[in-house]
Amino acid sequence: MAQVFDPSTHPHRRYNPLTNEHVIVSPHRNKRPWLGQVEPPQNHALPQYDAACYLCPGNTRAGGKKTDIYEHTYIFKNDYAAVLPPPMPKAPIDPHHLLTTEPVGGECDVLIFHPRHDLTIPRLPLEDVEGIIEEWIKIYRKRGSEEGIKHVQIFENKGAMMGCSNPHPHGQIWSFTTVPTLPAHEMTNLVNYSNSDHPPSNSPRGPHGKPCLLCEYAHTEVNIEGTERVVVKNNHWVAVVPWWAYWPFEILLLPYRRHIPSIFHLTPDEKTAFADILSKVTKRYDNLFSCSFAYSMGIHQRPIPLSSPEETDEDDIAHLHLHFSPPLLRSATVKKFMAGIELMAESQRDITPEQAAQRLRECSETHYMDTIEEK
């Protein structure tokens, strides 16, 4: 008798239309023993203020500049920026057609989320999360309007295992005189999808009534019976472990009711719902292993904003979305490594996206630290 394919047990390959890449899913490997690297346990009890922290109010930063005393968010230029403001000097003549150099300029900004050293996004009141969103919009508009800037990237690295050099809650905004590789690839695939023929759908449409890949995907996850990858949704936003997820508990967060090119296009209600779902997603992350859950988060949207949300051009095919890429695999101390087959052939994961979404759905929306403090 022929064996019946079961995606929860049989290895298979899934396609990511955003990147035009595949990921191998190997659910049968969940039972393998682990004798590899184990991360040190996290320190749960961070102080409210740390005199040695250069992001705490009033303290001196590593470069000698002083952080102002602030009460909510605080933004400053990175003292050790990866790129420098334009204009840039011309590149030397290429010694060979395979050895090319392209100057890149821009700015690197740091956004501190809150004066408290110990409060990350999942532990902040919603009004403070909304304040972070408003600052993202301001700096996106400011840097995106500067001469020569072609892309503004908002991101957060949370946790030492993701390369975060300071536990004080903060993110960064880097602007570039070029469009970086990953968002450029996404835009290419969004454009290609919008110009292709697809079956009729009730999903929201992109500019000029054209199909939008992420509108269609979000509509499918929210409305098609049998989808098991939705972690949480509200009136405007949905968080899913995407069909093509690479990281064990990866999340794609996006608006699903209408096509939204950027955070500049959000209505007041959509901003409030954005803060709500950010809080709910990150609480579930922390509660999964009862730790401050490490991740890298990035916002993908229009490369730069226009002067008004009512204006439009070809870049409005972008659909606002956030990628959460967390490394933790089995516990607070065991993480996934990108190595071997991932570096030399193709991305691979063990736990299925559906299994990961179920585990996150089952997590409480009350932060575990709040429960500990109540006791």
Side-chain angles (χ1 to χ4, degrees):
M1 184 176 178
Q3 195 174 23
V4 177
F5 177 78
D6 180 0
S8 67
T9 58
H10 293 134
H12 57 282
R13 197 171 180 235
R14 299 192 185 190
Y15 176 62
N16 181 345
L18 266 181
T19 62
N20 201 27
E21 297 173 347
H22 288 82
V23 58
I24 299 169
V25 184
S26 312
H28 59 291
R29 279 166 50 95
N30 280 324
K31 298 176 182 179
R32 66 179 178 137
W34 181 261
L35 295 176
Q37 180 172 318
V38 176
E39 304 298 319
Q42 295 184 18
N43 177 16
H44 290 273
L46 292 174
Q48 294 186 16
Y49 168 81
D50 184 346
C53 170
Y54 49 87
L55 300 183
C56 279
N59 289 355
T60 300
R61 301 200 296 274
K65 296 180 181 179
K66 193 169 185 179
T67 299
D68 294 340
I69 295 175
Y70 59 97
E71 296 182 355
H72 300 286
T73 57
Y74 179 72
I75 193 163
F76 64 93
K77 289 186 180 182
N78 195 316
D79 299 320
Y80 299 96
V83 291
L84 301 176
M88 298 82 66
K90 290 184 178 180
I93 297 174
D94 297 328
H96 188 276
H97 69 273
L98 296 179
L99 308 174
T100 64
T101 302
E102 177 187 2
V104 59
E107 297 278 4
C108 297
D109 298 290
V110 177
L111 173 62
I112 306 177
F113 296 157
H114 196 274
R116 282 270 298 266
H117 186 75
D118 60 332
L119 293 185
T120 53
I121 287 178
R123 302 205 65 206
L124 290 176
L126 285 181
E127 56 266 28
D128 286 321
V129 182
E130 286 193 62
I132 294 168
I133 293 168
E134 292 292 351
E135 288 300 320
W136 283 339
I137 296 170
K138 287 179 186 177
I139 195 68
Y140 171 64
R141 293 188 65 194
K142 177 183 177 182
R143 293 301 184 207
S145 66
E146 293 176 351
E147 186 175 356
I149 296 302
K150 296 181 180 178
H151 183 85
V152 179
Q153 182 60 59
I154 300 168
F155 66 97
E156 178 196 5
N157 290 328
K158 179 171 179 269
M161 71 175 68
M162 290 308 292
C164 184
S165 60
N166 189 317
H168 194 116
H170 70 284
Q172 298 190 56
I173 305 93
W174 290 14
S175 52
F176 301 96
T177 53
T178 60
V179 180
T181 302
L182 297 182
H185 282 173
E186 283 194 3
M187 281 293 286
T188 296
N189 291 318
L190 288 167
V191 169
N192 289 343
Y193 186 90
S194 73
N195 291 330
S196 303
D197 292 328
H198 304 284
S201 169
N202 293 324
S203 69
R205 309 290 281 184
H208 310 296
K210 287 190 171 184
C212 166
L213 189 160
L214 286 175
C215 284
E216 180 67 24
Y217 178 67
H219 177 80
T220 300
E221 291 288 18
V222 170
N223 294 291
I224 302 301
E225 185 178 356
T227 55
E228 311 163 73
R229 291 168 295 278
V230 173
V231 175
V232 61
K233 72 181 180 74
N234 58 27
N235 287 336
H236 296 282
W237 294 78
V238 62
V240 303
V241 179
W243 171 262
W244 51 78
Y246 165 66
W247 296 100
F249 295 96
E250 180 178 333
I251 277 183
L252 178 67
L253 174 61
L254 69 168
Y256 67 92
R257 288 200 178 274
R258 70 183 185 101
H259 181 79
I260 301 177
S262 78
I263 52 177
F264 184 34
H265 291 78
L266 294 173
T267 67
D269 284 347
E270 288 164 345
K271 292 177 193 175
T272 299
F274 188 13
D276 169 72
I277 204 162
L278 273 176
S279 179
K280 288 177 177 176
V281 164
T282 53
K283 279 185 172 73
R284 280 180 161 83
Y285 268 163
D286 280 10
N287 289 340
L288 182 64
F289 297 132
S290 297
C291 69
S292 184
F293 198 81
Y295 59 73
S296 280
M297 178 279 290
I299 299 178
H300 283 175
Q301 55 187 330
R302 280 186 56 98
I304 57 174
L306 295 171
S307 58
S308 165
E310 284 72 41
E311 293 185 52
T312 184
D313 67 11
E314 65 276 5
D315 283 343
D316 274 352
I317 193 59
H319 187 103
L320 171 64
H321 60 286
L322 284 74
H323 295 283
F324 284 85
S325 301
L328 291 179
L329 176 61
R330 300 184 178 204
S331 68
T333 58
V334 175
K335 70 175 184 179
K336 176 179 176 61
F337 289 88
M338 181 181 283
I341 198 69
E342 289 95 345
L343 292 179
M344 302 300 166
E346 192 163 274
S347 298
Q348 184 273 334
R349 63 179 289 126
D350 295 347
I351 183 174
T352 68
E354 294 76 21
Q355 292 164 345
Q358 180 179 351
R359 291 186 61 182
L360 289 169
R361 278 197 306 272
E362 291 170 351
C363 291
S364 172
E365 290 184 0
T366 300
H367 197 276
Y368 77 95
M369 287 291 287
D370 294 338
T371 305
I372 293 172
E373 289 173 359
E374 286 175 4
K375 293 178 180 179

